[in-house]
């Protein structure tokens, strides 16, 4: 029996967690400015939620889902992506009835996909996502893209490339679908086994194939932009106009289709152009998915969203040399020598923590020299020393580590003194 973490999973240790926490806090701050609210959905759903929401012809449903039968004989699936679960929650909880529309949501969630693990793509992955439900305004599409770009830029990324496309409405897609079938059918036997099936079920997915990307027929495939009806063309033009108004640079790529069945109209990806980032450059992707809410029994509800891999975000920060601020430094470390000093230290640590000061002490019964070394390793701003003399005189020695300045103060005043220095009296 292996006692290691399962293949495709990793332990995020305390030395690394601070980077995750920083990134998550920055993202939450952006969401607050854009007036998005957090939603948390179950880590597993009825399998049908993903079959309906994601699409039976996708690789996720056909190859990558972790599906199991519970003791009641129900088929359940660990969440492979975020949108379907949010759509289910939107319908079940009647969020379409909220007075404030559209409903603007964000989430941080763990996803599970059975695929070959590689750098930045694990079987258990962490994702930040946005969903806006209840608006067909092209300005919302632009806002969602703007939010994604703002997240990256606020964290210090500069080597970004935004790629957009329109998949059109149902009529446009149907016309394009037939054109793709007519185009690829003469080459069917030259395509991979997956694409031969996709050509029958969802030919748009052929354009997303990694195996056949260099096949000559890919380069000459009919473009969806040539099959957009006037309504779809107008919609896409408005999205671009709003992006232009915000000075958000983009590239139109007619081959961008995304890997899920539910997309229509706007589709987009954000990629890293940083040197050394790796072969897989996509950081985030999303688009509009009008029609999904109806699949879950809800009213006609236009919607748009995106998913952003946090592992890949951290990789991009590393590739661009962006340093994560160290916000984990300790305010104080209490050094105590002797039984009476130890008792006084326990009380002092409790009082400081109760007043908002980050503080720790020795629990290894080390001598003073060992305790001072620990304070230095923790990069404590202040070291508070309690020895026999301090206990006898009801005083405490305070050393400011940055300057080396040291002073003896009455112990009854130390909480007020330190909260004033560290918290500005708050």
């Amino acid at each position: 029996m292996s006692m290691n973490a399962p293949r495709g999973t990793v332990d995020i240790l305390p030395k690394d967690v601070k980077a995750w926490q920083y990134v998550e806090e920055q993202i939450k701050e952006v969401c607050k400015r854009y007036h998005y609210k957090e939603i948390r959905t179950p880590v597993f759903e009825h399998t049908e939620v993903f079959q309906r929401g994601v699409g039976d012809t996708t690789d996720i449903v056909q190859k990558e889902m972790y599906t199991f039968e519970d003791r009641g004989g129900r088929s359940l699936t660990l969440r492979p992506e975020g949108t379907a679960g949010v759509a289910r929650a939107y319908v079940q909880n009647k969020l379409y009835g909220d007075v404030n529309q559209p409903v603007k949501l964000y989430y941080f969630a763990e996803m599970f996909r059975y695929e070959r693990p590689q750098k930045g793509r694990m079987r258990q992955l962490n994702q930040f996502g946005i969903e806006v439900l209840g608006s067909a305004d092209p300005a919302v599409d632009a806002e969602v893209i703007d939010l994604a770009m703002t997240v990256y830029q606020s964290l210090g990324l500069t080597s970004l490339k935004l790629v957009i496309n329109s998949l059109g409405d149902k009529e446009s897609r149907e016309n394009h679908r037939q054109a793709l079938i007519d185009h690829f059918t003469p080459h069917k036997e030259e395509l991979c086994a997956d694409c031969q099936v996709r050509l029958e079920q969802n030919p748009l997915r052929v354009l997303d194939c990694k195996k056949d990307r260099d096949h000559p027929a890919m380069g000459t495939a009919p473009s969806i932009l040539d099959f957009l009806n006037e309504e779809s063309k107008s919609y896409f033009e408005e999205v671009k106009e709003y992006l232009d108004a915000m000075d958000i640079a983009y590239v139109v790529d007619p081959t961008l289709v995304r890997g899920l069945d539910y997309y229509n109209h706007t589709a987009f990806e954000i990629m890293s152009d940083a040197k050394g980032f790796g072969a897989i450059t996509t950081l985030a992707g999303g688009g509009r998915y009008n029609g999904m809410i109806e699949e879950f029994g809800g009213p006609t509800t236009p919607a748009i969203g995106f998913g952003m891999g946090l592992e890949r975000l951290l990789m991009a920060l590393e590739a661009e040399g962006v340093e994560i601020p160290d916000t984990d430094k300790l305010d104080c470390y209490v050094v105590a020598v002797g039984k009476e000093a130890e008792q006084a230290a326990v009380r002092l640590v409790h009082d400081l923590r109760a007043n908002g000061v980050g503080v720790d002490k020795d629990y290894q019964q080390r001598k003073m020299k060992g305790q001072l070394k620990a304070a230095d390793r923790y990069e404590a701003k202040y070291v508070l020393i309690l020895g026999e003399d301090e206990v006898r005189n009801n005083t405490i020695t305070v050393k400011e580590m940055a300057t080396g300045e040291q002073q003896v103060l009455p112990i009854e005043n130390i909480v007020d003194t330190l909260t004033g220095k560290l918290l500005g009296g708050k």
Side-chain angles (χ1 to χ4, degrees):
M1 179 179 177
S2 174
M3 287 302 184
N4 295 327
R7 187 167 184 254
T9 67
V10 295
D11 299 310
I12 304 174
L13 302 178
K15 66 183 180 64
D16 301 315
V17 164
K18 63 182 181 181
W20 287 77
Q21 292 173 334
Y22 173 77
V23 164
E24 289 166 2
E25 288 304 315
Q26 293 299 305
I27 292 174
K28 288 179 181 178
E29 179 58 34
V30 172
C31 289
K32 182 179 180 181
R33 298 204 309 263
Y34 281 67
H35 200 213
Y36 284 63
K37 306 296 184 182
E38 185 178 7
I39 185 171
R40 303 185 184 189
T41 60
V43 74
F44 59 86
E45 301 269 1
H46 292 289
T47 301
E48 188 181 8
V49 168
F50 301 113
Q51 289 173 333
R52 282 195 174 199
V54 179
D56 286 330
T57 66
T58 61
D59 285 349
I60 289 178
V61 171
Q62 293 185 347
K63 302 177 181 180
E64 299 174 2
M65 294 202 313
Y66 281 92
T67 298
F68 60 96
E69 191 174 281
D70 72 1
R71 294 185 179 184
R74 293 170 287 262
S75 179
L76 301 174
T77 296
L78 294 179
R79 177 176 52 211
E81 61 88 53
T83 302
V86 171
R88 188 271 311 150
Y90 177 86
V91 174
Q92 180 179 339
N93 296 282
K94 297 182 174 58
L95 297 184
Y96 49 81
D98 283 3
V99 66
N100 295 315
Q101 295 291 329
V103 176
K104 301 163 70 172
L105 305 170
Y106 76 89
Y107 55 84
F108 291 93
E110 293 174 320
M111 312 294 178
F112 302 86
R113 296 187 187 179
Y114 188 86
E115 55 184 341
R116 183 173 65 86
Q118 51 189 297
K119 189 175 182 182
R121 180 172 288 183
M122 306 300 286
R123 290 177 175 173
Q124 178 177 324
L125 55 139
N126 294 272
Q127 199 173 86
F128 160 65
I130 284 290
E131 314 293 347
V132 181
L133 306 105
S135 174
D137 188 342
V140 168
D141 302 41
E143 177 182 284
V144 166
I145 293 172
D146 177 41
L147 190 154
M149 294 293 287
T150 299
V151 164
Y152 290 129
Q153 291 163 350
S154 68
L155 287 166
L157 293 180
T158 58
S159 299
L160 300 170
K161 178 182 178 182
L162 169 63
V163 178
I164 63 173
N165 190 26
S166 174
L167 304 180
D169 60 11
K170 185 176 182 180
E171 178 188 42
S172 302
R173 291 196 312 280
E174 283 298 318
N175 292 336
H176 185 230
R177 180 182 188 278
Q178 188 57 51
L180 289 173
I181 293 173
D182 294 341
H183 175 77
F184 283 112
T185 296
H187 307 283
K188 183 176 180 180
E189 299 305 318
E190 303 164 13
L191 302 176
C192 70
D194 287 339
C195 280
Q196 291 180 26
V197 175
R198 290 166 181 158
L199 190 55
E200 302 284 338
Q201 297 179 346
N202 187 355
L204 191 65
R205 294 288 324 290
V206 175
L207 300 177
D208 200 36
C209 181
K210 303 299 184 287
K211 294 180 181 177
D212 292 329
R213 68 173 70 183
D214 296 323
H215 191 286
M218 290 292 188
T220 57
S223 167
I224 179 63
L225 298 181
D226 294 331
F227 292 86
L228 297 180
N229 57 25
E230 290 305 314
E231 182 179 347
S232 296
K233 285 181 183 178
S234 176
Y235 193 96
F236 193 40
E237 286 303 315
E238 285 194 64
V239 173
K240 291 189 289 183
E241 287 170 6
Y242 286 124
L243 293 175
D244 292 337
M246 291 185 284
D247 293 324
I248 298 176
Y250 57 85
V251 175
V252 177
D253 182 357
T255 66
L256 175 63
V257 299
R258 302 290 300 144
L260 306 177
D261 284 355
Y262 51 61
Y263 288 115
N264 46 65
H265 284 298
T266 308
F268 70 93
E269 289 186 357
I270 300 173
M271 304 172 184
S272 172
D273 276 342
K275 292 181 179 180
F277 180 69
I280 302 174
T281 60
T282 302
L283 296 174
R288 186 162 279 282
Y289 52 94
N290 302 344
M292 184 189 291
I293 299 303
E294 295 90 308
E295 287 289 323
F296 290 103
T300 299
T301 305
I304 185 171
F306 69 76
M308 176 184 294
L310 296 183
E311 288 87 353
R312 300 196 66 75
L313 169 53
L314 289 166
M315 283 174 56
L317 292 172
E318 182 180 358
E320 292 199 32
V322 177
E323 292 188 12
I324 302 295
D326 188 357
T327 58
D328 200 30
K329 292 182 179 179
L330 198 61
D331 290 330
C332 300
Y333 192 89
V334 177
V335 172
V337 180
K339 182 67 175 177
E340 291 184 13
E342 179 72 20
Q343 291 178 343
V346 168
R347 176 68 191 187
L348 177 59
V349 166
H350 169 80
D351 289 345
L352 287 169
R353 288 170 174 168
N355 283 274
V357 176
V359 60
D360 207 347
K361 65 177 291 295
D362 176 65
Y363 293 102
Q364 298 293 98
Q365 298 180 340
R366 286 174 286 205
K367 296 185 182 299
M368 179 179 286
K369 185 176 180 181
Q371 295 184 51
L372 290 171
K373 284 184 177 179
D376 194 48
R377 287 195 302 272
Y378 289 135
E379 299 184 78
K381 296 173 185 175
Y382 293 91
V383 174
L384 312 180
I385 302 172
L386 282 168
E388 292 180 359
D389 290 344
E390 284 84 2
V391 170
R392 184 169 52 252
N393 298 320
N394 289 319
T395 61
I396 189 166
T397 299
V398 180
K399 181 178 181 180
E400 186 173 359
M401 298 299 280
T403 63
E405 181 183 341
Q406 190 167 299
Q407 55 184 319
V408 178
L409 300 173
I411 194 167
E412 66 265 22
N413 297 337
I414 192 62
V415 172
D416 289 340
T417 299
L418 283 176
T419 53
K421 286 178 176 291
L422 294 165
L423 306 177
K426 294 179 182 178

